[in-house]
Amino acid sequence: MSGTFKAILVSRDEEKKQSVDVVDLSMDDLMEGDVTVKVEATTINYKDGLAITGKSPVVRHWPMVPGIDLVGTVVSSDSGSFSKGDKVLLNGFGVGETHWGAYAGYARLSANWLIPMPKGLTPLQAMGVGTAGYTAMLCVMALEKYGIEPSKGPVVVTGANGGVGSVAIAILAKLGYHVIASTGRPGEADFLKELGASEIIDRSELSEPGRPLGKERWAAGVDGVGSHTLANVLAQTSYGGAVAACGLAQGFDLPATVMPFILRGVALFGIDSVMASKEKRIEAWKRIATDLDMDKLDAITETIGFDQIIGKAHDIIDGKIRGRVVIDMTA
Ligand code: NDP
C-alpha cells in the first residue's frame, strides 16, 4: 500500500505536556512487527481514555498511536501463523501503550499477539465486546473454575453501566445467574434490567468505608471498581464464595481486612486481560460467541466514526458512556 492514512497520535513535549493530534502516516512510519493489518474496527476502553486524556500514565512509549483493541485484515505477513487476507483480532499485549495501536488505518503487530477472528461474530460485534467484554468473560470463567454456579446464589456486578459491567451482566444472566447490578446511575435501571439484571443497588451502598464483615448478600462478584467497593463486595460475599477483581474505576487501593478470607473462606481472583495466554483468549472468545446474547450486545453498543474517537475518550473518563462504543474504521 502506498500513500498515507489517518491516525491519532499522542505526543509529549520537553515539559511532558501531552497533546493529541490527527496526523497522516505512511506504512514506513509504523513500528516493527511481522504482520501488517488493515484496521476495520476498534473500540474505546477506559484505558484508551486514559491514554488520550493523559489522566493516568498508561502510555510508556512516545509518541503513541493509542487503541488497545482491533479487528482487521492481514495485508502482509512474515509469520507462518497468518497469511494475507486472514481476519484477525487483537486485545492488549501492550498495544496502544508501548506499541502503536488501533487508532490508525493500519497497524504493524507481532503474530504472537493476534488470534484468528472468532467464529460467529462480525468485526463490529467483536469490538462491541472488546477488551472490556473479553475481561468480563475472563472474570466469569475464573468464578466458574472455582465452582461458582447459579445454584450457589446471586452474583453482584459493580460498575454495572460500564463496558465490563454491562457485558458481565448479559453473560451471567444468559448463564442463569441472579445478577445484582451496582450502579451510580440508577436512572439506567431499565437498561440494566433489559440486559438481565434482577436487582439494582445504588453504588453508594458499597463505595463508602464499610465494616470488615457484613450480611452475606451474594455468592460471587465481578468488580471493575476496586477501592472501598471491592472491600465491601468481599465483606458481603457469602461463605465459600469468590470475587473476580479486574478494575480500579473508584481507585486502585484495597482498604479491606482479612476477615472475609479467614472467617468465610472467600476467594479473591485477580483478572488480567493484557498478558493472558493465547489459549485463554481463544477459550474466552469462543465462550463469548456462545454465551453472550448478540441482540443484547447490539443494544449496549454505539457505533461511531474515526473523527469522534477523541471526544468519546474524554467521555469514558468522565463516566458518561453507557455500555460500549465501537469505531467503524471502514466508514
Ligand atoms: P467504564 O468506564 O466503561 O466503566 C466503569 C464503570 O465504573 C462506570 O461506568 C461506573 O459505573 C463505575 N464507576 C466509575 N467511577 C466510579 C467511582 N468513582 N466509584 C464507583 N464506581 C465508579 O470502564 P470499563 O468497564 O471498560 O473498565 C472498568 C475497569 O476495569 C477500569 O478500571 C478498567 O481500567 C479496568 N479494566 C481492566 C482490565 C484488566 O485486564 N484487568 C481490562 C479492561 C478494563 P456506573 O455508572 O454503573 O456506576
Side-chain angles (χ1 to χ4, degrees):
M1 185 256 175
S2 58
T4 61
F5 52 87
K6 293 238 170 295
I8 293 175
L9 198 65
V10 182
S11 314
R12 255 187 182 181
D13 66 15
E14 277 144 24
E15 270 108 49
K16 296 195 171 171
K17 187 166 173 287
Q18 184 167 320
S19 57
V20 183
D21 299 288
V22 175
V23 298
D24 289 314
L25 296 180
S26 72
M27 286 300 200
D28 291 342
D29 295 321
L30 291 175
M31 291 174 80
E32 288 196 359
D34 48 5
V35 181
T36 305
V37 175
K38 182 173 188 341
V39 181
E40 286 169 18
T42 176
T43 179
I44 299 179
N45 291 282
Y46 193 81
K47 193 181 264 178
D48 301 315
L50 293 176
I52 285 182
T53 60
K55 198 184 158 205
S56 279
V58 294
V59 172
R60 281 164 284 132
H61 175 101
W62 300 91
M64 176 55 53
V65 174
I68 67 169
D69 283 330
L70 66 85
V71 166
T73 303
V74 174
V75 291
S76 67
S77 172
D78 296 327
S79 151
S81 309
F82 296 99
S83 311
K84 191 175 172 188
D86 286 350
K87 289 253 188 242
V88 290
L89 169 73
L90 169 98
N91 305 114
F93 273 123
V95 173
E97 301 176 66
T98 55
H99 189 99
W100 284 11
Y103 299 159
Y106 291 82
R108 192 169 294 131
L109 304 160
S110 163
N112 294 331
W113 304 335
L114 300 169
I115 63 169
M117 180 67 191
K119 289 194 173 57
L121 296 174
T122 66
L124 291 179
Q125 282 171 334
M127 289 295 95
V129 176
T131 283
Y134 141 68
T135 303
M137 191 74 235
L138 291 177
C139 290
V140 172
M141 283 161 50
L143 296 176
E144 285 176 339
K145 198 168 164 205
Y146 187 67
I148 300 295
E149 51 184 58
S151 64
K152 304 251 169 162
V155 180
V156 66
V157 175
T158 63
N161 275 295
V164 174
S166 51
V167 178
I169 292 170
I171 293 171
L172 288 163
K174 185 157 182 205
L175 292 171
Y177 288 91
H178 178 103
V179 181
I180 302 174
S182 166
T183 181
R185 288 182 268 178
E188 302 287 359
D190 288 346
F191 165 77
L192 296 172
K193 285 192 170 153
E194 265 170 49
L195 275 184
S198 303
E199 288 176 56
I200 315 291
I201 61 171
D202 197 297
R203 78 182 188 202
S204 61
E205 283 187 38
L206 300 175
S207 58
E208 300 302 318
R211 295 198 313 219
L213 276 183
K215 188 170 166 250
E216 295 174 71
R217 292 171 82 184
W218 34 73
V222 171
D223 178 61
V225 172
S227 192
H228 291 294
T229 301
L230 176 55
N232 286 315
V233 165
L234 288 165
Q236 294 174 47
T237 299
S238 53
Y239 195 92
V243 177
C246 70
L248 39 63
Q250 182 180 9
F252 63 72
D253 55 332
L254 180 51
T257 76
V258 296
M259 299 302 251
F261 308 123
I262 65 173
L263 292 183
R264 290 190 182 150
V266 168
L268 174 60
F269 294 106
I271 304 300
D272 169 60
S273 66
V274 180
M275 301 307 288
S277 68
K278 216 169 201 182
E279 293 72 37
K280 210 180 232 185
R281 286 165 193 263
I282 290 172
E283 188 194 344
W285 279 98
K286 216 164 145 189
R287 288 283 309 273
I288 285 163
T290 55
D291 295 340
L292 177 63
D293 186 332
M294 287 303 143
D295 289 339
K296 285 189 179 159
L297 179 70
D298 292 344
I300 61 169
T301 304
E302 178 191 0
T303 303
I304 62 168
F306 176 85
D307 295 345
Q308 292 161 276
I309 294 176
I310 295 174
K312 286 286 179 192
H314 283 87
D315 287 349
I316 199 164
I317 297 304
D318 294 341
K320 291 185 192 154
I321 304 270
R322 185 183 80 172
R324 303 276 303 128
V325 175
V326 166
I327 297 102
D328 183 352
M329 299 285 280
T330 64

